Amino acid sequence: MRRRAGLAGDAQKAETKEEFVKVRRRDLERLTTEVMQLRDFLPKIVNGDILGTFQKLDAIESNMEKKEEEIEQLKMDCEHFRARLETAQADCMREKKEKLDFRQQLNEAKQQLLQQAEYCTEMGAAACTLLWGVSSNEEAVKAILGGSKAVKFFTITAQTMESFVKSLSDDMKQQDLDTDENQFVLALAGIVTNVAALACGREFLVSSSRELLDTMMHLLGDMKPGLCTKFKVLMLMSLYNVSINLKGLKYISESPGFIPLLWWLLNDPDTEVCLHALRLLQSVILEPEVLAKSASEMRDTLPFQRIIALSKSRNADLQALAKELLEDLKILEYEA
């Protein structure tokens, strides 16, 4: 029992040595003061920093939540735009296919229209060529003019002639005109010539188809020298035939630009064109009432040298008519 008590006492002494430290009073007081100061100031410093940190953390968390919401919204927008893009791409592909289909239909329609135009031109050329031959008969012409479509026919004739001349290019050669289109307008001009060869035809044209007369004079001035000579000759023959009618001669001669048109035609290299231009000029000169109105303009612009040159032509008919016209033109000297 004593041994055990002795052991207990030794342990107590050891614990006493561990719990107590010998410190000077002055150091202990200073330590106590410093501890009290830390106890007062440390919470203020630490609490301020922690509060600021927490506030920053809250702000960061709030910003993160906003960013996450924005990201989520952007994802939704992205999905929305992706869906719209896919729809637009599908629409685009559909429109491309529709355009290809329309283009194919358009090409087919153009081909059909071209075939129809060629057919109409061939039919028109054939029909008008036949009518050209028939129109040399006086009774046939009277039957044509007595129909309800006569005025419409000559209106379409003027439009067809004008369309044909507009289609001519500057570099077109004479051989390019050996086509159905060329035969079509030649036949139309031939029909007009035959109709104008009759008194009833001249009266009809000058009374009901002045648009056709205006168109022919306009086209004669538009076509360059040497081109479409057969067409020019037929139109000049038509105008000459109409000029046999006094009312027709007055209408033609009083048309703006008629005298300059004659001078333009007299410079054509084709002898037939020049011959029929001289015949038309002679119609004006031989009618005193008409000449009186045109004499002044003729004196000022008449190409005497060209007519003199034509009077020396190798073409007998052209030479004779030019010489005859030079004699007729002497009347202008007396008119002056």
Side-chain angles (χ1 to χ4, degrees):
M1 292 298 290
R2 289 181 180 175
R3 183 177 294 178
R4 291 179 182 174
L7 289 173
D10 293 337
Q12 188 176 3
K13 289 180 180 180
E15 290 177 2
T16 303
K17 290 179 180 180
E18 291 177 358
E19 292 178 0
F20 297 99
V21 178
K22 187 183 288 186
V23 180
R24 289 186 298 181
R25 183 183 295 275
R26 187 178 59 182
D27 294 335
L28 180 59
E29 291 175 353
R30 187 176 62 186
L31 180 60
T32 302
T33 302
E34 291 176 357
V35 170
M36 293 300 292
Q37 289 175 347
L38 286 174
R39 184 178 293 175
D40 292 335
F41 292 105
L42 187 59
K44 295 179 181 181
I45 298 172
V46 173
N47 290 341
D49 292 341
I50 291 175
L51 182 60
T53 301
F54 274 110
Q55 290 175 346
K56 291 179 181 179
L57 183 60
D58 289 339
I60 292 171
E61 289 179 349
S62 178
N63 288 333
M64 286 182 65
E65 290 177 357
K66 290 181 180 179
K67 294 296 181 183
E68 288 176 354
E69 291 176 357
E70 291 176 0
I71 292 172
E72 190 64 27
Q73 184 62 44
L74 290 173
K75 286 181 179 180
M76 293 175 63
D77 292 342
C78 184
E79 290 298 325
H80 174 68
F81 289 128
R82 182 180 289 110
R84 290 182 60 183
L85 176 61
E86 292 174 354
T87 302
Q89 288 176 335
D91 292 341
C92 182
M93 292 300 295
R94 186 179 63 258
E95 289 178 0
K96 284 184 178 179
K97 186 178 182 304
E98 290 177 352
K99 285 182 179 179
L100 289 175
D101 293 340
F102 287 146
R103 185 172 298 174
Q104 183 177 358
Q105 293 174 10
L106 179 61
N107 290 335
E108 292 175 355
K110 285 182 178 178
Q111 188 63 30
Q112 292 176 1
L113 184 62
L114 180 60
Q115 292 174 354
Q116 291 175 0
E118 291 176 352
Y119 172 78
C120 290
T121 302
E122 292 175 2
M123 177 61 73
C128 287
T129 300
L130 293 173
L131 188 58
W132 185 4
V134 172
S135 64
S136 60
N137 181 280
E138 182 175 356
E139 294 303 320
V141 171
K142 289 181 179 179
I144 292 172
L145 298 181
S148 61
K149 298 294 184 180
V151 174
K152 183 66 174 178
F153 173 78
F154 289 111
T155 299
I156 295 175
T157 296
Q159 294 171 351
T160 303
M161 289 178 172
E162 186 174 20
S163 177
F164 173 75
V165 172
K166 286 181 178 180
S167 69
L168 299 177
S169 59
D170 293 337
D171 58 348
M172 183 170 289
K173 302 292 191 272
Q174 189 65 40
Q175 56 267 29
D176 295 332
L177 299 177
D178 297 329
T179 60
D180 288 324
E181 290 86 350
N182 186 41
Q183 182 58 35
F184 193 2
V185 294
L186 285 178
L188 289 172
I191 294 168
V192 176
T193 302
N194 287 347
V195 169
L198 299 176
C200 62
R202 291 190 285 271
E203 183 64 29
F204 180 90
L205 292 174
V206 76
S207 300
S208 304
S209 296
R210 291 188 175 186
E211 179 186 354
L212 175 59
L213 303 179
D214 294 337
T215 298
M216 288 193 294
M217 287 187 284
H218 176 72
L219 297 181
L220 284 168
D222 277 353
M223 288 185 289
K224 65 181 183 180
L227 184 65
C228 300
T229 55
K230 292 181 180 179
F231 186 39
K232 287 180 181 177
V233 167
L234 286 171
M235 288 193 291
L236 282 168
M237 290 175 65
S238 299
L239 292 174
Y240 173 77
N241 288 344
V242 171
S243 72
I244 297 174
N245 180 297
L246 181 58
K247 186 166 58 175
L249 178 60
K250 289 181 178 180
Y251 181 78
I252 292 173
S253 63
E254 293 173 5
S255 296
F258 172 69
I259 301 300
L261 171 63
L262 292 177
W263 307 159
W264 164 256
L265 293 170
L266 288 174
N267 286 300
D268 197 284
D270 186 81
T271 56
E272 286 293 311
V273 172
C274 293
L275 176 66
H276 290 283
L278 287 177
R279 291 182 67 195
L280 188 55
L281 173 60
Q282 192 175 43
S283 288
V284 176
I285 294 174
L286 294 180
E287 181 56 51
E289 183 181 350
V290 176
L291 178 63
K293 295 182 178 181
S294 305
S296 177
E297 186 177 4
M298 285 186 179
R299 280 194 299 269
D300 294 338
T301 61
L302 193 64
F304 283 103
Q305 294 303 317
R306 176 58 178 168
I307 298 175
I308 293 172
L310 293 176
S311 69
K312 300 176 183 178
S313 171
R314 294 180 180 180
N315 184 294
D317 293 336
L318 180 59
Q319 181 185 119
L321 182 58
K323 288 180 178 180
E324 185 179 338
L325 190 60
L326 286 173
E327 290 296 321
D328 294 335
L329 288 171
K330 289 181 179 179
I331 194 174
L332 292 177
E333 300 176 5
Y334 299 108
E335 292 288 337

